[in-house]
Amino acid sequence: MQKDLLKLLDLSREEITKILNVADQMKYNQKHNLTHNYLAGKTLAMIFEKNSTRTRVSFETGMYQLGGHALFLSGKESQIGRGEPIEDTARVLSRYCDGIMIRTYGQDEVETLARYASIPVINGLTDFAHPCQVLADLMTIREHMTRLEGLKLCFIGDGNNMANSLIVGGLKCGMDVSVACPEGYDPDPKVLDFAQSASGAAFRLCRRPEEAAADADVVITDVWASMGQEEERAKRALAFAGYQVNDALMELAHPGAMVQHCLPAHRGEEITAEVFEQHAGEIFDEAENRLHAQKAVMYLLMGGEKTL
């Protein structure tokens, strides 16, 4: 296992599978009241430069359930928000804590933090990648479909951090991946380069959502304007008109296809209320699995892989 979780591009298929297997065990343990203090006496520093509901609650709850403690550090209230170099923050927190989770804007900030920290660093979200969310997505798909390899995953919407991480995670796990984005909203070029060179699974970048969704086993979407893009909302609403997950689109997918959404959802924009509610069970399983997937990551990075 890598020292850090910065992006799924860094992980092998075997490492992703190991995280998912441990996440399944963590979920089983919780459902059967099998509590284990794998991280007893350990502390996770959580740096938030972007607001959050699921990320904060799932990491904080996960640390508690594993016997450890989580510290919330707001970017506005800590020295990092006042201009302290990220290199110094990394070295100071490494003297106090056993791990760092950061939710921020630039991927370079996370990479620098990891370079100077002597403890594990977990990417809770950047504008480039959302690895913890996609690990939860893959866990949920495998729960409902019993496998990942050979399935077709379709993403409709902005080529953002979710699209980037879904492309990488899906292809590495042997899934065919199709993405539909408007012109000018494509996934990151580094991710597209990886996708074109990936072996064992097919990748397609489409302009028409109908083309991407055809025969899909899993249909995934996200908001059209992410955090920090609020001023672009009107412009994006025009650009993404027609990129909605609705009944007509789902009729093109494989019978019994799943729907996933990382939340929060804007019903009536990227997804209709009808489709959302039809697949609410899957979507909220996905939300719950953030907890179990992240517990697996923290256990593997911070717990010394004690016997489960």
Side-chain angles (χ1 to χ4, degrees):
M1 185 69 188
Q2 301 279 331
K3 167 186 168 284
D4 309 297
L5 176 62
L6 308 182
K7 55 188 182 297
L8 294 185
L9 280 168
D10 297 334
L11 301 184
S12 66
R13 177 175 181 171
E14 291 71 27
E15 287 172 320
I16 293 173
T17 301
K18 184 173 186 177
I19 294 171
L20 298 182
N21 289 343
V22 173
D24 287 344
Q25 185 65 52
M26 291 291 179
K27 188 169 187 176
Y28 177 89
N29 288 352
Q30 182 185 332
K31 300 300 183 185
H32 292 81
N33 297 316
L34 301 173
T35 58
H36 299 283
N37 294 326
Y38 297 120
L39 300 184
K42 300 204 172 185
T43 301
L44 176 74
M46 305 189 304
I47 301 172
F48 283 88
E49 295 186 326
K50 280 190 174 186
N51 294 331
S52 167
T53 299
R54 278 155 290 277
T55 299
R56 179 177 179 180
V57 174
S58 56
F59 270 106
E60 199 161 328
T61 300
M63 277 299 290
Y64 173 78
Q65 291 179 355
L66 291 171
H69 180 67
L71 294 171
F72 174 77
L73 302 173
S74 165
K76 294 179 181 178
E77 298 168 357
S78 62
Q79 294 300 332
I80 195 171
R82 299 178 183 177
E84 180 175 53
I86 193 75
E87 299 92 325
D88 295 354
T89 297
R91 288 178 283 202
V92 168
L93 292 179
S94 295
R95 304 289 182 111
Y96 298 149
C97 303
D98 302 283
I100 303 170
M101 187 284 297
I102 181 168
R103 180 179 168 95
T104 187
Y105 294 89
Q107 181 70 21
D108 57 337
E109 188 173 356
V110 176
E111 303 278 348
T112 301
L113 185 69
R115 192 176 311 123
Y116 284 87
S118 59
I119 57 178
V121 172
I122 301 169
N123 179 356
L125 174 141
T126 64
D127 291 343
F128 173 73
H130 202 350
C132 291
Q133 177 64 59
V134 170
L135 288 169
D137 296 350
L138 295 172
M139 178 184 178
T140 310
I141 295 165
R142 196 171 72 161
E143 276 183 346
H144 283 262
M145 298 290 193
T146 72
R147 62 188 173 95
L148 294 172
E149 187 168 10
L151 297 179
K152 179 180 176 181
L153 182 155
C154 161
F155 179 83
I156 307 292
D158 186 17
N160 59 10
N161 47 15
M162 279 300 298
N164 291 335
S165 295
L166 284 165
I167 292 167
V168 175
L171 290 174
K172 285 197 173 192
C173 290
M175 305 178 79
D176 293 337
V177 178
S178 61
V179 173
C181 304
E183 193 93 35
Y185 295 92
D186 288 353
D188 190 276
K190 292 188 292 293
V191 170
L192 295 180
D193 287 345
F194 163 80
Q196 297 302 334
S197 62
S199 59
F203 172 74
R204 290 190 69 189
L205 177 61
C206 310
R207 295 299 172 214
R208 297 180 62 248
E210 297 81 5
E211 188 178 345
D215 297 320
D217 298 289
V218 187
V219 177
I220 304 180
T221 190
D222 191 10
V223 294
W224 293 340
S226 297
M227 193 177 299
Q229 298 171 336
E230 289 81 3
E231 292 183 1
E232 302 176 29
R233 186 157 186 157
K235 175 186 172 185
R236 284 172 169 266
L238 292 174
F240 287 93
Y243 285 78
Q244 184 185 73
V245 176
N246 51 36
D247 286 335
L249 191 79
M250 291 304 299
E251 287 179 5
L252 302 173
H254 196 273
M258 293 176 62
V259 172
Q260 299 277 264
H261 194 304
C262 61
L263 302 178
H266 294 163
R267 293 165 176 80
E269 292 185 8
E270 75 276 1
I271 188 169
T272 63
E274 292 77 15
V275 171
F276 185 95
E277 291 303 329
Q278 287 166 9
H279 295 271
E282 301 154 9
I283 292 169
F284 288 104
D285 281 347
E286 172 192 13
E288 177 189 340
N289 285 340
R290 284 288 300 276
L291 171 65
H292 309 301
Q294 288 161 191
K295 284 170 69 176
V297 169
M298 292 188 289
Y299 162 82
L300 291 168
L301 294 183
M302 300 167 59
E305 298 195 37
K306 299 173 185 176
T307 302
L308 281 171

